[in-house]
Amino acid sequence: MDGGAHQGETIAHFEKSNLYSRHPWEMFAFEANPNLIPDIPKKPNLTVLNKAVWTKDGTMEFYLGENTLSSSLFGDKKPGLSKTPIKVDSVDFSQWLKKNFSKDDVIFVKLDIEGAEYDVLDKMLKDESIAYVDRLYVEFHNEKVGVPDERDRELVSAIKKKGVVIKTHSREATQGDYFQD
């Protein structure tokens, strides 16, 4: 699952990884920015969903960034976003996982969702949908949304306690390159 697919960089890196070559995969790419959907490469085993990963199904205000990398559900996120939001569909990610998969499935999730990761991960921990995830790759955006660094460490610790392998990604790393193992 690629939450915040952008232009499909994570999918391209995954396809080059040893993980990808060892098993058949079904991939899902979530991208809220409608302008980026045409940029995501079409693949036979890839489903692209033009939706924001969130804590409930519905319609949300979404703020486009000054560049394609920074759009967010949070209008006060730094750097600057457009002042006028667009409307996008959102998906309750934890319920979507529970509805479409079983705990026996091997599920890797990447989240680069520009500040929404805190609410989404909190809900996944609370409703136990985190147990569906085998590996979680996440980029935290604490300083961009005013969350203390300690919150990242708390979430990582809580997720590890649930038995999920979690790897964090720095904003300085190559876009989409989460799979160096």
Side-chain angles (χ1 to χ4, degrees):
M1 316 294 160
D2 185 358
H6 191 247
Q7 295 171 314
E9 297 92 342
T10 300
I11 294 158
H13 281 283
F14 184 59
E15 287 179 321
K16 293 175 188 172
S17 74
N18 289 329
L19 293 168
Y20 183 81
S21 61
R22 282 188 248 153
H23 308 283
W25 294 94
E26 183 178 8
M27 298 181 289
F28 297 86
F30 293 86
E31 177 53 56
N33 185 337
N35 301 324
L36 294 177
I37 296 300
D39 296 338
I40 299 172
K42 308 302 178 256
K43 308 274 182 186
N45 57 344
L46 172 65
T47 301
V48 177
L49 298 112
N50 185 196
K51 294 179 182 247
V53 171
W54 189 233
T55 60
K56 57 187 168 194
D57 294 329
T59 303
M60 305 277 301
E61 290 187 342
F62 186 73
Y63 297 84
L64 297 174
E66 294 171 349
N67 64 55
T68 64
L69 294 173
S70 62
S71 300
S72 179
L73 293 172
F74 301 99
D76 57 352
K77 182 183 149 277
K78 299 170 189 163
L81 300 171
S82 67
K83 302 287 185 239
T84 307
I86 62 171
K87 297 284 186 186
V88 298
D89 290 332
S90 65
V91 62
D92 182 332
F93 187 67
S94 61
Q95 292 306 307
W96 184 84
L97 274 176
K98 287 179 162 185
K99 180 177 154 190
N100 291 289
F101 300 94
S102 77
K103 290 181 183 177
D104 294 332
D105 291 323
V106 176
I107 299 175
F108 293 0
V109 174
K110 170 263 189 164
L111 294 176
D112 183 359
I113 51 178
E114 303 297 321
E117 64 271 13
Y118 298 100
D119 293 306
V120 170
L121 292 172
D122 281 339
K123 184 170 191 283
M124 291 178 75
L125 284 162
K126 185 177 180 180
D127 70 11
E128 297 291 325
S129 63
I130 197 73
Y132 285 68
V133 178
D134 294 280
R135 291 190 190 187
L136 174 65
Y137 302 87
V138 64
E139 182 174 313
F140 289 108
H141 297 83
N142 53 18
E143 76 279 351
K144 292 184 177 185
V145 294
V147 172
D149 289 343
E150 179 61 27
R151 184 71 184 111
D152 298 358
R153 291 187 290 277
E154 290 170 357
L155 276 171
V156 168
S157 177
I159 290 165
K160 283 182 178 179
K161 285 179 184 172
K162 296 292 185 179
V164 177
V165 174
I166 180 170
K167 295 188 178 189
T168 59
H169 188 262
S170 73
R171 284 171 290 289
E172 293 78 34
T174 302
Q175 180 70 22
D177 190 8
Y178 293 81
F179 308 102
Q180 298 172 5
D181 52 7

